Amino acid sequence: MTKPVHVAVVGATGAVGQAMIDTLLRREFPFASLKLLASARSAGTVVEVRGEQLIVEEATPESFEGIDIALFSAGGDVSLRLAKEAVKRGALVIDNTSAFRMDPLVPLVVPEVNPKEIFKNQGIIANPNCSTIQMMVALYPIYREYGIRRIVVSTYQAASGAGQLAMDELRQTASAILVGENPVAKVLPVSKLEYHYPLAFNVLPQIDVFEANGYTKEEMKMVNETHKILNDARIEVTPTAARVPVMYGHSESIYIETDQPFEISDILRLLAHSPGLVLQDDPEHQVYPQALQAAGQFPVFVGRVRKDLFVKNGLSMWVVADNILKGAALNAVQIAEMWILQEGIGS
Amino acid sequence: MTKPVHVAVVGATGAVGQAMIDTLLRREFPFASLKLLASARSAGTVVEVRGEQLIVEEATPESFEGIDIALFSAGGDVSLRLAKEAVKRGALVIDNTSAFRMDPLVPLVVPEVNPKEIFKNQGIIANPNCSTIQMMVALYPIYREYGIRRIVVSTYQAASGAGQLAMDELRQTASAILVGENPVAKVLPVSKLEYHYPLAFNVLPQIDVFEANGYTKEEMKMVNETHKILNDARIEVTPTAARVPVMYGHSESIYIETDQPFEISDILRLLAHSPGLVLQDDPEHQVYPQALQAAGQFPVFVGRVRKDLFVKNGLSMWVVADNILKGAALNAVQIAEMWILQEGIGS
């Protein structure tokens, strides 16, 4: 017999919070109760879940009384303020923000890659950054079999990664340009910074703030999180993160060099049979991953897999996933699923 | 005294042909006469040039009688059929198609890189592919000073590179998606192939047809043309070419490894003082190249220049140019300008 599991979603009115609720339902997560939490500003919002009207409550330390699993996606400041309060009250926190990702006491988990880390948690488990997650799902099978010493990755990231306001702005600036008006941007690339640029019919080579070394925070996440997830700081990661006028679905152009030589047919077979991955690789029939097709889907899609023309152990590929699902909500729910299986909780 | 120069534009009604006419005017190219040529289908179209109504004529071998310089951009088949006819009649052909690019008897020229090749022509000079041109302008100063052994490039290419119909389709599919309709694609990624996908709010990792090695023809152009322009087949080029929902302006995420070590300050100084290049690199003030800003501009813009975090001679950068101007029309007109200067023709 298992005990019932009580779940809270913190940031329930945001793009990722909504997707967390949807994903819990789509995957028939066996929750006994679902509590929706958000900032005071969003409290009172009504969200329909399984035909039931749930009222979003303001998240306070006391909100977590009786909660077994709390999925956080309300910004790093909220996680910093409330995650430990939730843990103190007995909840497992699965945090989608960057607040605890590099904390050595907090596991950083992609279930297809390092699931055992889940059980080393001290109350908090961190969800990696969206652009890192899909790269890890695609590369891990190759890493395990051949080793990877080098990654050069350029991203084509969707507006949804910057939240609902960024999606609204993409829609507005696109509409303006289509009728010949001058678009005005106030959100992208980074709402809190001084300058804003339209994303519609444009590409913005800035995601998050710049660090002193000339890389953006988003790019440095891809370096540091890759090292932590694979527990291998020797991998030389060269990231460029750019935002493209897409609503959902991050695309990534990934070049790697493996330690061991490979046959391309073996790589394809490996990718075709790895968890969480769907191989879409048939150039003759123009089959390759596309953001529009990946939107709303759970898997990570990989295609355009090809041997380098010059470098012996070089390999290129194109990797696409729904950044709100596998890049955020789904990855968190998968962690929760593994946790309750192991703990024997859930109805 | 110089003799007057008579210019013809072949493909005058296309996106690049129109830009060739505009560029000749913007740069005050000293033509004595301008003849507009196109397929029989487009003949009769009226184009206004300097307030004068010019009637587009059908391009035939006889069209080139008395022409000194013929700018071709009407498709490879037209170039194959008519370029040599124009040469036979005394014209210098500057061909924007891929018809002659890899012909060992035809110079492949980026004026900022290998201008001397212009004067080795046997009647035809080829304009490189748009994605190669802007990469060459940005990399050549570094190549000359430090040597380059390795290029990993991912492109973010605009719809205009696939012609007017592709731009129309981007506009239509974007409008459809914005009002919640299902977009129908008939042009992109490659009009003559079987499957078509919407570009709006999507990324298409296919430009041109696939070759047997898994790379697209567009990607192989970046490899082969780089080798030919720099006259250096040792450079290991790893290209991924993708189309993004942008009208004008190709963006490129470029990673290189140089032969010689460098200081990043020296690289920045070099790029700031190289012909055809504008350095837009001030992360603190969010200054970096953007497609929307580059559209309609002549230079190649480079920014986000940064040292690799792991690889000693590694360097990343972001390069943007108007693919119709520097990527096609402007490059051709620059070749024509150098030619007439040397030949002493032009009014």
Side-chain angles (χ1 to χ4, degrees), chain B residues 40-120:
Chain B
R41 191 168 39 84
S42 299
T45 308
V46 176
V47 176
E48 198 180 292
V49 176
R50 286 189 193 148
E52 207 183 322
Q53 310 279 314
L54 296 187
I55 298 168
V56 177
E57 299 170 38
E58 182 183 350
T60 66
E62 293 69 36
S63 308
F64 300 97
E65 296 290 352
I67 294 296
D68 298 299
I69 297 178
L71 306 175
F72 272 70
S73 190
D77 51 334
V78 174
S79 294
L80 287 172
R81 189 158 50 80
L82 290 176
K84 283 172 184 168
E85 297 292 340
V87 172
K88 208 186 291 177
R89 287 166 177 80
L92 172 74
V93 168
I94 303 171
D95 183 29
N96 189 52
T97 77
S98 62
F100 301 105
R101 284 185 193 143
M102 297 313 294
D103 184 329
L105 298 179
V106 173
L108 184 65
V109 175
V110 179
E112 291 85 352
V113 177
N114 59 345
K116 288 182 187 157
E117 293 295 311
I118 292 173
F119 309 103
K120 297 182 189 159

Side-chain angles (χ1 to χ4, degrees), chain A residues 150 154-156 195 197 202 205-206 214-215 219 238-240 253 255 286 288 290-292 304 306-308, chain B residues 150 154-156 195 197 202 205-206 214-215 219 238-240 253 255 286 288 290 292 304 306-308:
Chain A
R150 186 84 184 94
S154 295
T155 71
Y156 303 62
Y195 300 100
Y197 310 113
N202 200 11
Q206 177 181 15
Y215 290 78
E219 289 160 354
T238 298
T240 300
S253 169
Y255 166 79
Q286 298 179 263
Y288 35 70
Q290 293 177 41
L292 259 189
R304 301 246 23 226
R306 58 205 193 276
K307 245 184 136 68
D308 199 76
Chain B
R150 186 83 184 95
S154 295
T155 71
Y156 303 63
Y195 301 99
Y197 310 114
N202 200 11
Q206 177 181 16
Y215 290 78
E219 289 159 353
T238 298
T240 299
S253 168
Y255 165 79
Q286 298 180 263
Y288 33 70
Q290 295 178 38
L292 260 189
R304 300 247 24 228
R306 57 205 194 276
K307 248 183 130 68
D308 199 76

Side-chain angles (χ1 to χ4, degrees), chain A residues 283 286 288 304, chain B residues 98 101 129 157 161-162 187-193 204-211 214-221 225 241-243:
Chain A
Q286 298 179 263
Y288 35 70
R304 301 246 23 226
Chain B
S98 62
R101 284 185 193 143
N129 185 44
Q157 293 182 229
V187 177
L188 288 165
V190 183
S191 61
K192 68 182 175 194
L193 292 184
L204 296 175
Q206 177 181 16
I207 297 183
D208 212 330
V209 299
F210 281 99
E211 304 207 340
Y215 290 78
T216 59
K217 208 169 157 183
E218 180 82 4
E219 289 159 353
M220 291 311 298
K221 286 175 186 174
E225 296 181 14
R243 186 89 65 192

Side-chain angles (χ1 to χ4, degrees), chain A residues 18-346:
Chain A
Q18 290 282 315
M20 283 171 164
I21 299 167
D22 285 348
T23 302
L24 289 167
L25 297 174
R26 276 172 71 179
R27 293 177 70 93
E28 301 186 339
F29 188 91
F31 58 83
S33 74
L34 181 62
K35 185 180 252 186
L36 304 188
L37 301 170
S39 63
R41 191 168 41 82
S42 299
T45 309
V46 176
V47 176
E48 199 180 291
V49 176
R50 285 188 193 148
E52 206 182 322
Q53 309 279 312
L54 296 188
I55 298 167
V56 177
E57 299 169 38
E58 182 183 349
T60 66
E62 295 70 36
S63 308
F64 300 97
E65 296 289 351
I67 293 296
D68 298 299
I69 297 177
L71 306 176
F72 273 69
S73 190
D77 51 333
V78 174
S79 293
L80 287 171
R81 188 159 51 79
L82 290 175
K84 282 171 184 169
E85 296 292 340
V87 172
K88 208 185 291 177
R89 287 164 177 82
L92 172 73
V93 168
I94 304 171
D95 184 29
N96 189 52
T97 77
S98 60
F100 302 104
R101 283 184 193 147
M102 297 313 294
D103 184 330
L105 298 178
V106 173
L108 183 66
V109 175
V110 179
E112 292 85 351
V113 177
N114 59 347
K116 287 181 186 158
E117 294 295 310
I118 293 174
F119 308 103
K120 297 181 189 162
N121 80 78
Q122 298 185 23
I124 302 176
I125 297 170
N127 226 21
N129 184 44
C130 46
S131 47
T132 310
I133 292 176
Q134 69 185 68
M135 182 165 83
M136 289 296 97
V137 173
L139 294 188
Y140 181 63
I142 301 170
Y143 176 79
R144 202 185 40 204
E145 292 289 321
Y146 300 93
I148 293 177
R149 63 176 71 186
R150 186 84 184 94
I151 302 174
V152 181
V153 53
S154 295
T155 71
Y156 303 62
Q157 295 183 229
S160 52
Q164 188 60 52
L165 289 178
M167 284 190 278
D168 294 344
E169 179 166 286
L170 171 55
R171 204 169 276 120
Q172 286 152 12
T173 53
S175 301
I177 289 175
L178 285 170
V179 298
E181 285 169 12
N182 241 353
V184 179
K186 294 174 180 173
V187 178
L188 288 165
V190 182
S191 61
K192 68 182 174 192
L193 293 184
E194 190 174 353
Y195 300 100
H196 299 107
Y197 310 113
L199 177 60
F201 303 104
N202 200 11
V203 181
L204 296 175
Q206 177 181 15
I207 297 182
D208 211 331
V209 298
F210 280 99
E211 305 208 339
N213 61 7
Y215 290 78
T216 59
K217 208 168 157 183
E218 179 83 3
E219 289 160 354
M220 291 311 298
K221 287 176 184 173
M222 297 187 79
V223 177
N224 297 325
E225 296 181 13
T226 294
H227 289 171
K228 178 165 176 176
I229 294 165
L230 297 177
N231 189 27
D232 183 350
R234 293 165 317 165
I235 304 173
E236 300 171 338
V237 185
T238 298
T240 300
R243 187 89 66 192
V244 293
V246 166
M247 288 293 178
Y248 295 98
H250 287 355
S251 304
E252 295 180 344
S253 169
I254 301 178
Y255 166 79
I256 62 168
E257 284 166 26
T258 60
D259 288 323
Q260 303 300 322
F262 58 81
E263 293 297 326
I264 196 77
S265 54
D266 291 333
I267 296 282
L268 289 168
R269 205 173 307 116
L270 189 59
L271 295 174
H273 297 94
S274 292
L277 263 187
V278 171
L279 183 66
Q280 292 184 322
D281 194 318
D282 183 0
E284 205 191 326
H285 297 96
Q286 298 179 263
V287 174
Y288 35 70
Q290 293 177 41
L292 259 189
Q293 293 178 358
Q297 308 287 319
F298 284 149
V300 174
F301 300 91
V302 59
R304 301 246 23 226
V305 182
R306 58 205 193 276
K307 245 184 136 68
D308 199 76
L309 298 164
F310 303 93
V311 177
K312 192 168 171 280
N313 290 352
L315 183 74
S316 292
M317 64 184 74
W318 185 257
V319 175
V320 179
D322 187 316
N323 52 301
I324 297 295
L325 295 178
K326 183 55 186 169
L330 172 63
N331 198 73
V333 170
Q334 286 176 299
I335 293 171
E337 289 170 348
M338 288 194 166
W339 174 251
I340 62 169
L341 265 178
Q342 173 86 5
E343 296 295 297
I345 60 175

